[in-house]
């Protein structure tokens, strides 16, 4: 079902949810108070602040609603909060609902209009760190399950909740926990409610696949110490060496040209092309330019061409360059070293461990065997699920019904860990406002967006059950 199709079936499904939605509306004050309670507990993984306390609080909130939650320890990290909520429906599917209770640091504090841990409501909007990313999504899952239990006695699918505590620092303890609990996380599909809706169409963004990440530091070395620039003829300049090496990795339009980089690449299929054309037609270009603070799109490319690159191809991004003197005024030297931090996003079939070897071989063949490659992270198993997959269609159908417009469907987004341990369809979506400010001061969640997010979670559960 492409967006907008099969509306008659969609309305039939959601007729059955009227009582559930009415219950959510009737209890919205209670649901908002519980979200505020969770938001008021600091839980910053980067600072190891309040993680155990937040996990315990989350377990208490879930148990208060009759959901069988518990904190499961990890090896050296914050616990995973897990719940397994059964259903008596015969041949029911199992849906794994993933979220995280850790948040980004709130700094700079002076930029907030309200204390980031107060969860104050100002003009109908909750301001707090984690409101959208991701405590709002965690509580939407929980309240949807609670509403099903109160109204219908049980959810339409078996639900498994997996809420971790260090996603914001790359989930260093999640893979180990998953490997030790493979039976617990077996499911017919997994989805996540994390992020915001598209400002162009006021409907969620739906991600059907994930890229992996390879992050390296490239180091060029020259003389043992900085050299007077008048003697530059005597030594190789490591800054120039590094610049020259970097220039062999991308072309002038930013395309990755490392030898063999795309040998295993899986190009977008017919459905992917359809989704790209649909998104391009709906795109608000003024909003895009304003979002990035630019006057025009780069390289004379169309929105369609840039979206295709962003969603389905790899990237090579220089994230930082360091060499020589950076202070005020002049210092005439040849620097002794130069470093670049480089981020690669890898679409399906481009595995991080294999791609770093391609990078190494590429530099050696071009005479840059003196460039050191330090791998800072090589994480994730890139994948893409078919557009026709049941879970994909369930989320698309639910978004169309709850938000009144088809979602923006993307083929790929960023890395994943759980799927690398247990193979299942995975879909990421969200319901926060377009200006949610996640990772920034004044992160927020309008009250009506949160209530709609609970309904979105319930609708996905119901739609998945019917497929």
């Amino acid at each position: 079902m492409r967006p907008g199709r099969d509306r008659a079936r969609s309305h039939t499904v959601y007729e059955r949810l009227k009582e559930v939605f009415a219950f959510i509306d009737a209890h919205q004050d209670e649901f908002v108070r519980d979200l505020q309670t969770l938001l008021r507990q600091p839980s910053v993984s980067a600072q190891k602040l309040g993680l155990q306390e937040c996990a315990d609080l989350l377990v208490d909130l879930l148990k208060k609603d009759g959901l069988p939650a518990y904190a499961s320890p990890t090896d050296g990290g914050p616990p995973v909060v897990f719940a397994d909520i059964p259903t008596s429906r015969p041949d029911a599917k199992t849906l794994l609902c993933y979220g995280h209770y850790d948040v980004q640091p709130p700094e700079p504090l002076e930029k907030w209009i309200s204390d980031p841990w107060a969860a104050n409501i100002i003009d109908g909007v909750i301001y707090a760190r984690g409101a959208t990313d991701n405590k709002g999504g965690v509580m939407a899952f929980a309240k949807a399950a609670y509403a099903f239990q109160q109204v219908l006695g049980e959810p339409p699918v078996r639900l498994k909740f997996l809420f971790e505590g260090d996603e914001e620092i790359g989930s260093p303890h999640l893979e180990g926990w998953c490997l030790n609990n493979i039976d617990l996380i077996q499911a017919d599909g997994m989805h996540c409610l994390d992020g915001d809706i598209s400002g162009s169409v006021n409907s969620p963004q739906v991600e059907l696949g994930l890229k992996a990440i390879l992050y390296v530091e490239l180091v060029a070395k020259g003389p043992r110490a900085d050299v007077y620039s008048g003697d530059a003829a005597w030594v190789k300049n490591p800054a120039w060496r590094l610049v020259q090496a970097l220039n062999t990795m991308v072309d002038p339009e930013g395309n990755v040209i490392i030898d063999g980089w795309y040998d295993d690449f899986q190009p977008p299929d017919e459905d992917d092309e359809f989704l790209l054309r649909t998104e391009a037609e709906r795109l608000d270009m003024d909003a895009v330019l304003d979002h990035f603070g630019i006057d025009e799109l780069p390289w004379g490319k169309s929105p369609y061409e840039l979206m295709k690159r962003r969603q389905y191809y790899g990237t090579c991004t220089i994230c930082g360059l360091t060499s020589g003197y950076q202070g005020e005024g002049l210092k005439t030297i040849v620097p002794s070293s130069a470093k670049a931090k480089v981020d690669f996003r890898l679409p399906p079939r481009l595995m991080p461990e294999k791609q770093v070897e391609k990078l190494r071989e590429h530099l050696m063949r071009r005479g840059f065997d003196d460039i050191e490659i330090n791998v800072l992270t090589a994480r994730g198993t890139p994948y893409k699920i078919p557009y026709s997959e049941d879970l994909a269609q369930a989320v698309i159908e639910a978004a169309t019904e709850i938000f009144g417009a088809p979602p923006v469907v993307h083929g790929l987004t960023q890395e994943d860990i759980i799927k690398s341990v247990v193979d299942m369809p995975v879909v990421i979506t969200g319901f926060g406002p377009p200006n949610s400010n996640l990772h920034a001061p004044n992160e927020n969640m309008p009250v009506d967006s949160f209530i709609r997010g609970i309904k979105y979670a319930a609708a996905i559960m119901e739609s998945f059950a019917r497929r």
Side-chain angles (χ1 to χ4, degrees):
M1 180 183 83
R2 287 180 173 170
R5 291 188 183 179
D6 206 8
R7 295 285 290 169
R9 177 192 177 280
S10 171
H11 284 300
T12 300
V13 170
Y14 295 104
E15 281 292 318
R16 294 188 285 265
L17 287 177
K18 280 187 174 180
E19 289 184 56
V20 174
F21 290 171
F23 180 88
I24 293 169
D25 287 333
H27 291 79
Q28 76 168 39
D29 290 345
E30 171 194 337
F31 293 172
V32 169
R33 283 195 298 271
D34 283 351
L35 174 59
Q36 288 176 293
T37 297
L38 187 63
L39 292 169
R40 287 167 180 157
Q41 171 58 56
S43 52
V44 184
S45 50
Q47 302 168 348
K48 298 183 178 179
L49 174 65
L51 299 173
Q52 182 66 55
E53 294 84 350
C54 192
D56 292 340
L57 173 61
L58 180 55
V59 168
D60 289 343
L61 288 169
L62 295 175
K63 284 185 173 180
K64 177 178 72 73
D65 285 347
L67 305 177
Y70 62 94
S72 178
T74 62
D75 185 11
V80 166
V81 174
F82 193 83
D84 189 342
I85 306 160
T87 183
S88 64
R89 295 189 182 188
D91 303 319
K93 293 179 178 178
T94 298
L95 181 61
L96 179 64
C97 303
Y98 166 84
H100 61 93
Y101 59 84
D102 69 314
V103 301
Q104 285 281 320
E107 288 81 4
L109 298 177
E110 67 276 9
K111 298 288 188 179
W112 286 78
I113 64 173
S114 177
D115 184 331
W117 307 120
N120 289 324
I121 299 177
I122 302 173
D123 296 328
V125 179
I126 306 170
Y127 288 89
R129 176 56 86 227
T132 289
D133 185 16
N134 176 233
K135 291 179 179 180
V138 166
M139 292 305 290
F141 280 134
K143 295 308 181 183
Y146 174 62
F148 272 117
Q149 288 193 333
Q150 293 300 303
V151 176
L152 302 176
E154 61 184 4
V157 292
R158 180 181 178 184
L159 295 172
K160 294 182 177 181
F161 290 170
L162 192 168
F163 304 143
E164 64 156 317
D166 53 13
E167 189 272 349
E168 296 292 6
I169 57 171
S171 305
H173 301 95
L174 181 59
E175 183 176 15
W177 185 90
C178 289
L179 288 169
N180 291 328
N181 295 277
I182 289 176
D183 290 343
L184 280 184
I185 59 177
Q186 294 287 344
D188 296 298
M190 181 185 95
H191 89 103
C192 175
L193 291 173
D194 193 352
D196 43 33
I197 66 174
S198 167
S200 294
V201 298
N202 289 314
S203 192
Q205 302 178 84
V206 176
E207 317 288 357
L208 303 183
L210 295 169
K211 293 182 180 180
I213 181 172
L214 171 64
Y215 198 112
V216 302
E217 181 183 67
L218 303 180
V219 183
K221 294 183 177 179
R224 66 174 178 268
D226 293 349
V227 171
Y228 163 56
S229 64
D231 288 333
W234 290 102
V235 295
K236 288 184 178 180
N237 187 318
W240 278 117
R241 286 290 289 169
L242 186 58
V243 168
Q244 289 157 2
L246 291 168
N247 271 330
T248 72
M249 294 161 55
V250 297
D251 69 14
E253 293 188 350
N255 298 299
V256 183
I257 54 174
I258 295 169
D259 296 338
W261 197 251
Y262 285 109
D263 285 351
D264 302 314
F265 178 64
Q266 175 183 338
D269 60 24
E270 182 181 350
D271 279 333
D272 299 327
E273 296 284 358
F274 167 79
L275 294 171
L276 285 167
R277 289 194 300 272
T278 300
E279 183 177 357
E281 291 169 359
R282 302 168 73 191
L283 195 65
D284 183 339
M285 275 305 304
D286 289 338
V288 171
L289 296 175
D290 181 67
H291 174 75
F292 289 109
I294 57 178
D295 296 325
E296 60 183 6
L297 297 179
W299 309 300
K301 299 291 186 182
S302 68
Y304 171 85
E305 292 171 308
L306 294 177
M307 286 190 298
K308 187 173 184 178
R309 175 188 293 187
R310 193 266 184 233
Q311 294 182 34
Y312 295 101
Y313 286 78
T315 57
C316 172
T317 303
I318 299 174
C319 302
L321 282 170
T322 304
S323 184
Y325 180 66
Q326 305 293 331
E328 185 177 352
L330 307 177
K331 187 177 184 183
T332 54
I333 60 166
V334 174
S336 62
S337 66
K339 297 180 181 179
K341 294 185 184 295
V342 182
D343 164 323
F344 298 91
R345 300 290 170 155
L346 306 176
R349 300 185 184 177
L350 273 59
M351 305 304 292
E353 299 81 4
K354 188 173 181 180
Q355 298 305 111
V356 73
E357 292 308 313
K358 290 184 177 182
L359 172 62
R360 197 180 311 278
E361 293 168 5
H362 169 89
L363 291 176
M364 289 183 66
R365 276 196 293 269
R366 276 156 180 71
F368 294 103
D369 52 318
D370 56 318
I371 303 289
E372 294 180 11
I373 302 175
N374 300 319
V375 178
L376 302 185
T377 189
R379 188 175 73 240
T381 302
Y383 76 91
K384 179 182 175 300
I385 69 171
Y387 178 69
S388 58
E389 173 66 48
D390 282 353
L391 182 56
Q393 289 299 303
V395 173
I396 292 167
E397 179 182 78
T400 304
E401 179 66 24
I402 299 301
F403 290 83
V408 173
V409 184
H410 293 156
L412 298 170
T413 180
Q414 306 315 323
E415 73 277 357
D416 177 54
I417 291 175
I418 297 173
K419 185 175 171 64
S420 68
V421 177
V422 175
D423 188 23
M424 71 180 91
V426 178
V427 176
I428 297 176
T429 186
F431 57 83
N435 57 344
S436 63
N437 291 336
L438 53 87
H439 290 213
N442 299 315
E443 182 177 352
N444 65 87
M445 174 68 72
V447 169
D448 59 356
S449 293
F450 175 56
I451 299 306
R452 186 165 59 176
I454 300 171
K455 295 176 181 178
Y456 186 30
I460 292 170
M461 295 169 188
E462 179 68 19
S463 184
F464 189 49
R466 302 290 173 178
R467 294 184 178 276

